[in-house]
Amino acid sequence: SYRETIASAALSGLASLNDVRGMDLAVNYISRPKMSMATFSAFAILSTLGTQSPELSERARIVLEKSYTDFQSWVDGERWAFKSQVLATLGGLKNKNALPFLENEAANNPHEEFREMAKAAIAAINKPDDPSIDSKKEKIRLLKMKTLGAPHRAHSAGELF
């Protein structure tokens, strides 16, 4: 319906802006017993805001785990889409408190695809952050120092990258 389209667009906008006000709306849509376009936008908010602070990550984790357990649908495709999105979002949060839930799913879910998705989420949580990000920041800092005439002297820009 057009209302779902508008709600989805509004939720997507809040996610893009990292607007914390979107958290309550996202929780409302994730907790509904029916899938909609807005539900997927709500996942985007939880993914985005859940990485902003430990408190928001924990709130998102609790909502996701509860909704995964509570979600009931007679439509297999709808159930599959919802539950797979929950597992992917939990992995993206990198919240170690989700590990017991995910480990249980990886070991005990009767569906192979959900077990594999839970394992992928566990791997995402346990994967260390990319150290090259810090080195890129350092290279940019050094390049700025060189450009501004700081004491550090690079022989060429190629040495920095």
Side-chain angles (χ1 to χ4, degrees), residues 5-44:
T5 304
I6 293 169
S8 179
L11 289 167
S12 294
L14 290 170
S16 296
L17 295 171
N18 291 329
D19 193 326
V20 178
R21 294 175 297 178
M23 183 63 93
D24 289 335
L25 292 170
V27 167
N28 182 38
Y29 275 93
I30 296 290
S31 301
R32 292 168 71 188
K34 183 178 185 298
M35 286 288 291
S36 68
M37 289 186 334
T39 306
F40 287 101
S41 297
F43 280 115

Side-chain angles (χ1 to χ4, degrees), residues 82-144:
F82 183 85
K83 290 194 171 202
S84 62
Q85 190 65 46
V86 168
L87 294 171
T89 304
L90 284 170
L93 291 176
K94 293 185 109 17
N95 183 335
K96 295 215 181 265
N97 292 336
L99 288 173
F101 175 82
L102 292 168
E103 289 165 349
N104 182 55
E105 282 301 303
N108 300 318
N109 193 299
H111 303 285
E112 177 68 24
E113 60 271 4
F114 291 128
R115 288 194 305 269
E116 292 303 315
M117 284 184 259
K119 290 175 188 174
I122 291 167
I125 291 170
N126 288 326
K127 181 180 177 188
D129 291 331
D130 186 357
S132 66
I133 293 171
D134 290 335
S135 64
K136 286 177 188 173
K137 287 180 184 177
E138 180 63 13
K139 289 176 184 177
I140 291 168
R141 185 186 71 76
L142 291 173
L143 182 60
K144 285 180 181 177

Side-chain angles (χ1 to χ4, degrees), residues 35 71 73-84 114:
M35 286 288 291
F71 187 79
S73 172
W74 294 108
V75 182
D76 282 339
E78 190 173 278
R79 182 174 52 247
W80 189 91
F82 183 85
K83 290 194 171 202
S84 62
F114 291 128

